[in-house]
């Protein structure tokens, strides 16, 4: 990983957006005739195209299906969450990044750092998840509509993703990358009360 970088690229900040108007003769008029104004008042002889788009600086593009997701942990029976720290079965959250540049380059010699040396052109990403922290344990997310539980989010290695805390850098492969998180309900010290619960969290990507 290149440690001499001057800054961090956040996901999808718009650098340039604009509207381009292009005139197009629809009746096969000559270039000379286009410069004259006599035909512009005649209905059906002229038309107009409008082109638009957006240019972003992010190295990768978050897939449309990953931008807004609804995660359903299903129906949980209260008796399965009797002790503090009890959790429901995990539900996977997939964050798909497309068009990532570069590629993974790693020394394969097991005698050299056990094959774990990333070269300088390796792209990296951090995730920062924001939301309301649980009142009893700020490592987890508060839910509304039920009490005695909080939302626990972790990566595939079991590392907890706490509110407003960036994850460790994750290496990116060229092209498509599928980042998988896991969501679970977890029992808290608060009195357990049934209800339909909800939580809203936001995920911010930081590229290095």
């Amino acid at each position: 990983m290149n440690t001499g970088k001057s800054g961090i690229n956040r996901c999808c900040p718009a650098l340039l957006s604009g509207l381009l108007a292009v005139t197009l003769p629809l009746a096969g008029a000559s270039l000379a005739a286009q410069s004259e104004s006599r035909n512009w008042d005649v209905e059906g002889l002229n038309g107009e195209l409008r082109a638009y788009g957006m240019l972003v600086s992010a190295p990768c593009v978050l897939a449309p299906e990953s931008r807004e997701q609804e995660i359903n942990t299903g129906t949980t029976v209260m008796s399965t969450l009797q002790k503090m720290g009890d959790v429901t079965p995990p539900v996977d959250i997939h964050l798909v990044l497309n068009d990532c540049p570069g590629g993974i380059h790693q020394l394969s010699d097991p005698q050299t750092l056990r094959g774990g040396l990333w070269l300088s052109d390796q792209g990296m990403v951090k995730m920062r998840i924001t939301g309301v922290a649980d009142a009893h344990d700020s490592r987890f997310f508060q839910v509304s509509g039920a009490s005695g539980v909080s939302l626990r989010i972790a990566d595939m290695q079991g590392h907890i993703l706490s509110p407003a805390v960036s994850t460790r850098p994750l290496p990116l492969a060229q092209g498509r990358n599928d980042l998988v998180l896991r969501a679970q309900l977890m029992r808290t010290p608060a009195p357990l009360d049934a209800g339909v619960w909800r939580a809203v969290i936001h995920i911010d990507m930081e590229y290095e």
Side-chain angles (χ1 to χ4, degrees):
M1 183 177 71
N2 187 357
T3 58
K5 301 178 181 62
S6 60
I8 293 177
N9 290 320
R10 293 187 177 274
C11 178
C12 302
L15 289 185
L16 175 66
S17 62
L19 186 66
L20 174 64
V22 182
T23 58
L24 179 66
L26 301 182
S30 65
L31 292 177
Q34 293 179 44
S35 62
E36 300 177 3
S37 61
R38 61 183 182 180
N39 288 335
W40 289 104
D41 295 331
V42 181
E43 184 177 357
L45 293 185
N46 300 281
E48 185 176 75
L49 297 178
R50 295 183 181 273
Y52 63 91
M54 180 177 294
L55 180 66
V56 299
S57 65
C60 305
V61 178
L62 191 63
E65 64 271 20
S66 298
R67 295 173 189 169
E68 292 189 16
Q69 300 187 56
E70 290 190 0
I71 308 303
N72 185 1
T73 62
T75 300
T76 302
V77 180
M78 292 176 58
S79 60
T80 62
L81 296 172
Q82 288 300 309
K83 301 189 304 296
M84 189 175 66
D86 285 347
V87 294
T88 60
V91 176
D92 287 351
I93 304 171
H94 291 266
L95 299 173
V96 178
L97 300 175
N98 289 324
D99 304 326
C100 297
I104 292 180
H105 301 280
Q106 185 179 22
L107 296 183
S108 58
D109 186 355
Q111 302 300 320
T112 306
L113 294 180
R114 301 185 183 274
L117 180 61
W118 300 103
L119 300 186
S120 60
D121 63 342
Q122 176 62 50
M124 309 290 279
V125 64
K126 292 181 181 178
M127 288 182 287
R128 191 169 67 95
I129 301 181
T130 58
V132 180
D134 185 77
H136 297 278
D137 195 329
S138 60
R139 296 176 299 168
F140 309 114
F141 295 87
Q142 177 180 302
V143 304
S144 60
S147 65
V149 292
S150 61
L151 183 62
R152 179 186 189 271
I153 297 180
D155 61 18
M156 291 295 290
Q157 288 72 44
H159 300 113
I160 296 173
L161 278 65
S162 300
V165 178
S166 297
T167 66
R168 71 191 193 288
L170 303 173
L172 293 172
Q174 184 176 8
R176 176 190 170 106
N177 289 263
D178 191 352
L179 307 179
V180 182
L181 306 179
R182 286 181 166 173
Q184 298 170 282
L185 276 185
M186 192 184 75
R187 182 74 162 87
T188 71
L192 193 60
D193 190 15
V196 178
W197 64 270
R198 292 187 65 85
V200 178
I201 62 174
H202 301 274
I203 301 178
D204 188 24
M205 300 291 184
E206 299 177 357
Y207 297 94
E208 296 184 348

